[in-house]
Amino acid sequence: MGKNYVDIENEHGETLRYRKHVNGRGLVAHGSKVHPDARVEVGAYVEPGAQIAAGATVARGAWIESDALIGPGAYIDANAHVGPKAAIGARAHIGVRTRVGAGARVAKDSKIGDDEAIPPGGTVVTDARGALHLAA
């Protein structure tokens, strides 16, 4: 049986330990909180301090940075990037390759398309058709 963790050196020369999440085998850093009912797929990374709620999915290649919050039932699609201290609301969907900036907020039930960019500190709500509305 192989080891259940990986050590990776960050840009500051510090070694961070990532464990393989029980549901999906993605890498979850020591110091983050991922609910056992959340799915973190192989190739996804969750950084220290991030929190992933029950029923949420972090797809292959997605990156959740430090202190980000992912709400219950949210879906972070393949190769998406959620910046530090960003918050994704319950049941929100973040599209493929979409970038959510540092400290940004995505409202619950929002649907963000593929290849979008949410600016740092921005707040986004979508209507029933998925049209973006940036709030102040």
Side-chain angles (χ1 to χ4, degrees):
M1 189 157 164
K3 65 182 182 177
N4 203 28
Y5 67 89
V6 162
D7 290 329
I8 299 174
E9 187 175 315
N10 68 13
E11 67 274 5
H12 305 294
E14 304 163 325
T15 300
L16 299 176
R17 178 159 284 181
Y18 294 81
R19 63 182 161 75
K20 295 176 183 174
H21 188 55
V22 296
N23 190 5
R25 308 295 287 166
L27 296 177
V28 175
H30 179 74
S32 60
K33 294 181 181 178
V34 179
H35 195 280
D37 291 337
R39 180 166 181 80
V40 180
E41 295 181 355
V42 170
Y45 288 85
V46 178
E47 299 295 345
Q51 296 181 38
I52 315 290
T57 297
V58 179
R60 289 179 181 266
W63 178 22
I64 310 302
E65 286 205 61
S66 60
D67 301 315
L69 302 174
I70 309 299
Y75 191 91
I76 311 303
D77 220 326
N79 300 309
H81 176 215
V82 177
K85 298 184 180 177
I88 309 300
R91 298 172 308 282
H93 182 278
I94 304 299
V96 175
R97 294 175 306 276
T98 290
R99 303 291 180 245
V100 178
R105 303 287 181 257
V106 176
K108 69 179 184 175
D109 298 314
S110 291
K111 306 287 185 251
I112 310 301
D114 297 345
D115 300 305
E116 297 283 347
I118 308 301
T123 299
V124 175
V125 178
T126 63
D127 62 21
R129 297 180 318 264
L132 289 175
H133 301 282
L134 295 173

